Amino acid sequence: MNSAWDEASGRGRLGVLVEPWPAAAVELRGVSKRYGATLALDDVSMTIDPGELLFVLGPSGAGKSTLLRIIGGYERPDSGALFIGGQRVDQVPIERRNVGMVFQSYALFPHMTVADNVGFGLRMRGTREPARSERVQWALGLVRLDGLERRFPRQLSGGQQQRVALARAIAFRPSLLLLDEPLASLDRRLRDEMRLELRQLQRRVGITTVFVTHDQEESLTMADRVVVMHGGAVRQIATPSELYNRPADPFVASFIGEMNVLAGVVVGVEGEGADVRMGNVVVRVSAERPLELGERVTVCLRAERIRLAPAHGGDEAPSSLDNHLRGRARFSSYLGASTLYVVETTDGMIFKVAEPNSVGLARFQSGDWIEITWSPDAAMVFSGPP
Amino acid sequence: MTGAPPWLLLSPCLGLLAVFFVLPLAWLVRVSLYQRTSGAGGFYIADSFTLDHYAAVMTDPYFRGIALATLRLGLVVTATTLLLAYPLAVYLWRAGPTLKRGTLLAILLPKLTNLLVAMYGVLVVLANAGPINSLLLAGGIVREPLAMFANLFAVVVGETLILVPYPVLIIATALHGVDPRLVEAARGMGAGPLRAFYEVPFKLTLPSVLLAALVSLVWALGAFAAPVVLGNPDLYPVAVEVYTTTFEDVNWPLGATLAVLNMAVVTLLAMSTYVVQRRIERSFGR
């Protein structure tokens, strides 16, 4: 790794002493923000640990950017309190918050060289030469852009501009780093590369980081924890695996991965299991909490938790407690490592099913008769209709 | 549209310019090189050639005085115009769409009035019996009316009134090209509101401010109506001198000489502005 920073000695390649990063904790208490009739943030409370890489995930209009802009000081909350490093800052002007920000459009200063862009925050803080240049070199080394100091932003590629924006956001040693969909305008290969690099850099520097994205894959692969937002409210804050395995509600469940969301009514309760009627079909589910007879529920079933088999001729008795349904493949999309099928059961229900391609080929064609099977504990049951 | 050859789109305007601007200009230059008639009959001696008028203008202290008066008026008006225009342009940049439209209309509407009428309007306001002096007298603030016309002040007021829309539009257009995120980014990195403005939008629009200054200066150097209506003979710039020389003294060659020299100065100014502008832009890496 071409690093400007030597981990063992804590010194940069240029001998600049890099003190431990002043990573700050962040806390929001009941923060709300309204734009006219729209409630952009609805009573949001959360804490972010020092040095944590927190992802804010949600569809557009969920309030992600508003949340980020309030933390950075670009917007003032209508109510609630914000603490950075233990100090209340929601009324502190933006220039005194010491928060680094990478904008989606990068917002690089077109009339300044790369070095001047990166050194801007230091210059505003009165850092003199040569300390300023040393710090600029350090930041550019971190993002592997040494040697491009005298270029102007328009002379750089998109990926390079992205790195300059990142170097600029950390050069003045902010206590917090905010990233607003920083990878959205990069092509896929570069995006994957930058993800890894960003993650490594964040770990190495140890700066508390809030990363806004609408890309669930991005959040699952990079985050320490993920905040899922919808309609201005926080739906769940959890680690990626918790989010995947134990979503708080059907929205979170369906936002992460391919999900079958089915409405049903509890028609039988038996021990830890229950029977749920969905249309003409009754399926068995296992629930964590007792379900009541007649309760309306939402059953979420991940596409990859359903198994497929060629349909046999006669009606066989179910061999286990697993749920079995018969149907036909209506549509299949080949994704290389797996194939996503849309299966329509004989009762007219639609299921999305993902199957790994063991020999690199899809097993079924559209129109094939298929038997789908899943175990009761594969489904997640939530109270109420979807 | 795309099928038309480019020269076809250009030619009507180019034709108009050639017939009504370039031809008279060439004629103007030729007239400035004729000898003046000594007596009555004709405005110049045909087929003559002389550089006497240029020599006279260059050496006569009278013309040096006029040149200085012209330049002084030009610089004062340019400075005043820019000082008024820049904040207004910034306001337009920050204003919401409705206010923006209203303000633009307010800026442009006075341009629809006749220039002379506007100048006499200024005269009425600044006159001894005008509203300002009446108020000052009635309030007991002054004992005698303030002398607010027939002086440099009045000319600058009138000329600024004529010119201010142009720099406003030029600078506002440039500011609109500045991404507001850049200001936010500067703020986020520790710049206060004024510092952030200076570092980003102000520096980015400097080339346009220069252009606005040039437009103001060129206009002000050709000032005619404001000095005549609101000034006094000591303040008359070269444009007024061209008029009196040509039509009152009936000295066409000398009038033409003054006009040609005025144009030469303006052309030189425009070219040097372009050079400086390019230098600033190159320092932005463009």
Side-chain angles (χ1 to χ4, degrees):
Chain A
M1 184 94 214
N2 175 19
S3 161
W5 188 52
D6 175 8
E7 231 149 315
S9 71
R11 279 180 180 278
R13 197 161 51 207
L14 293 152
V16 189
L17 182 67
V18 180
E19 314 95 283
W21 201 274
V26 179
E27 186 183 355
L28 286 89
R29 283 188 207 153
V31 171
S32 294
K33 176 75 182 178
R34 186 177 278 284
Y35 296 112
T38 327
L39 192 59
L41 276 189
D42 183 6
D43 193 26
V44 170
S45 296
M46 67 173 82
T47 55
I48 307 168
D49 298 328
E52 185 177 23
L53 175 54
L54 183 85
F55 265 67
V56 182
L57 178 66
S60 23
K64 309 181 299 271
S65 288
T66 306
L67 178 70
L68 202 70
R69 291 174 62 79
I70 281 179
I71 296 175
Y74 299 89
E75 308 276 352
R76 298 272 170 97
D78 295 333
S79 58
L82 168 69
F83 298 84
I84 298 178
Q87 286 191 311
R88 185 160 178 178
V89 295
D90 45 86
Q91 298 303 319
V92 173
I94 171 174
E95 65 268 20
R96 279 194 259 133
R97 290 206 189 180
N98 203 35
V99 173
M101 172 97 158
V102 175
F103 292 84
Q104 186 175 352
S105 61
Y106 312 146
L108 297 178
F109 303 133
H111 57 307
M112 295 185 197
T113 59
V114 167
D116 288 343
N117 264 286
V118 176
F120 188 86
L122 297 161
R123 186 154 65 85
M124 292 305 113
R125 280 163 177 73
T127 308
R128 298 196 180 281
E129 297 293 357
R132 191 161 82 212
S133 290
E134 283 176 9
R135 192 63 78 63
V136 168
Q137 285 304 320
W138 167 80
L140 285 175
L142 270 182
V143 297
R144 300 192 290 126
L145 273 187
D146 324 61
L148 296 183
E149 293 82 355
R150 306 188 66 178
R151 297 273 189 91
F152 283 90
R154 58 182 290 277
Q155 300 167 326
L156 302 177
S157 69
Q160 287 172 328
Q161 289 183 19
Q162 214 273 334
R163 286 158 200 264
V164 173
L166 186 61
R168 187 176 72 167
I170 57 176
F172 60 91
R173 296 174 60 76
S175 48
L176 182 63
L177 176 63
L178 307 177
L179 303 147
D180 189 3
E181 309 229 9
L183 309 179
S185 40
L186 300 181
D187 63 59
R188 193 185 166 90
R189 239 184 87 192
L190 198 54
R191 194 161 59 223
D192 291 346
E193 195 179 305
M194 280 306 294
R195 270 183 200 164
L196 194 66
E197 221 169 286
L198 250 170
R199 185 66 184 127
Q200 287 174 340
L201 187 147
Q202 194 270 340
R203 282 254 168 79
R204 197 141 37 97
V205 174
I207 183 171
T208 312
T209 305
V210 184
F211 192 125
V212 160
T213 184
H214 64 263
D215 183 338
Q216 42 115 346
E217 184 191 332
E218 201 161 87
S219 63
L220 290 183
T221 53
M222 292 173 73
D224 289 326
R225 284 191 304 159
V226 180
V227 177
V228 180
M229 293 188 69
H230 184 54
V234 171
R235 289 302 188 90
Q236 189 170 11
I237 308 181
T239 63
S241 68
E242 269 179 344
L243 215 58
Y244 185 83
N245 294 310
R246 303 169 69 83
D249 59 33
F251 172 78
V252 176
S254 57
F255 199 70
I256 309 285
E258 285 295 341
M259 185 68 80
N260 296 291
V261 181
L262 309 157
V265 180
V266 179
V267 292
V269 181
E270 187 184 321
E272 292 197 344
D275 291 327
V276 175
R277 185 165 54 79
M278 299 182 293
N280 300 322
V281 185
V282 174
V283 299
R284 174 158 284 269
V285 300
S286 60
E288 287 173 13
R289 54 169 193 82
L291 294 169
E292 285 173 30
L293 271 179
E295 186 179 345
R296 298 189 66 182
V297 291
T298 302
V299 176
C300 291
L301 183 59
R302 291 205 178 280
E304 60 271 28
R305 297 295 300 269
I306 302 177
R307 299 187 304 275
L308 293 177
H312 306 297
D315 274 343
E316 279 179 42
S319 55
S320 66
L321 288 170
D322 286 354
N323 295 297
H324 297 264
L325 292 173
R326 282 187 66 182
R328 290 178 87 158
R330 283 295 173 218
F331 181 80
S332 71
S333 49
Y334 180 72
L335 304 172
S338 64
T339 304
L340 185 72
Y341 297 96
V342 174
V343 178
E344 185 181 356
T345 67
T346 45
D347 305 288
M349 295 171 73
I350 304 289
F351 285 87
K352 287 179 282 187
V353 183
E355 188 181 61
N357 296 328
S358 47
V359 286
L361 290 168
R363 270 209 296 166
F364 303 101
Q365 304 291 319
S366 288
D368 285 357
W369 281 96
I370 298 178
E371 185 155 314
I372 64 173
T373 308
W374 71 93
S375 79
D377 58 10
M380 295 170 277
V381 185
F382 301 96
S383 295
Chain B
M1 248 0 249
T2 46
W7 57 264
L8 206 62
L9 300 169
L10 195 62
S11 49
C13 223
L14 220 53
L16 195 75
L17 269 178
V19 174
F20 294 104
F21 182 71
V22 178
L23 272 181
L25 198 64
W27 179 238
L28 187 77
V29 174
R30 182 63 190 101
V31 169
S32 74
L33 298 170
Y34 281 130
Q35 281 172 0
R36 191 188 178 188
T37 49
S38 40
F43 302 106
Y44 49 81
I45 299 170
D47 302 329
S48 63
F49 181 88
T50 178
L51 288 170
D52 285 354
H53 310 299
Y54 285 92
V57 172
M58 295 300 196
T59 52
D60 193 335
Y62 172 75
F63 290 114
R64 195 172 311 137
I66 287 172
L68 283 177
T70 310
L71 203 64
R72 181 179 64 159
L73 182 65
L75 291 176
V76 173
V77 167
T78 301
T80 325
T81 309
L82 284 185
L83 281 177
L84 288 176
Y86 203 90
L88 191 52
V90 174
Y91 173 82
L92 271 176
W93 180 46
R94 309 299 294 268
T98 315
L99 269 176
K100 189 171 293 177
R101 223 169 296 138
T103 312
L104 264 175
L105 207 65
I107 292 167
L108 292 176
L109 265 184
K111 302 268 26 148
L112 299 181
T113 36
N114 179 290
L115 187 62
L116 268 178
V117 172
M119 288 306 101
Y120 279 106
V122 173
L123 184 61
V124 166
V125 173
L126 296 179
N128 285 345
I132 296 180
N133 267 323
S134 305
L135 263 176
L136 290 175
L137 286 168
I141 298 164
V142 293
R143 288 175 177 282
E144 285 178 10
L146 285 179
M148 288 190 294
F149 69 97
N151 56 22
L152 183 65
F153 170 75
V155 178
V156 171
V157 169
E159 199 61 32
T160 305
L161 196 68
I162 300 170
L163 293 189
V164 97
Y166 303 113
V168 169
L169 291 181
I170 292 171
I171 297 168
T173 306
L175 281 170
H176 271 283
V178 177
D179 179 0
R181 299 261 170 207
L182 298 182
V183 183
E184 287 196 335
R187 294 289 306 279
M189 284 186 282
L194 281 178
R195 187 73 195 269
F197 180 82
Y198 167 74
E199 291 288 347
V200 186
F202 180 77
K203 285 187 176 177
L204 274 173
T205 52
L206 265 184
S208 301
V209 172
L210 207 65
L211 179 66
L214 174 74
V215 169
S216 302
L217 187 60
V218 167
W219 269 83
L221 290 180
F224 186 89
V228 168
V229 176
L230 298 164
N232 64 53
D234 288 344
L235 295 168
Y236 287 172
V238 66
V240 180
E241 189 65 22
V242 169
Y243 177 82
T244 47
T245 307
T246 309
F247 296 108
E248 288 175 15
D249 305 347
V250 202
N251 190 344
W252 278 32
L254 185 60
T257 303
L258 288 169
V260 167
L261 284 174
N262 191 29
M263 290 230 17
V265 169
V266 165
T267 308
L268 218 64
L269 271 172
M271 277 159 57
S272 50
T273 307
Y274 177 75
V275 170
V276 177
Q277 216 176 1
R278 277 301 298 158
R279 193 159 298 172
I280 296 177
E281 285 185 341
R282 211 162 293 151
S283 80
F284 295 172
R286 271 179 213 160

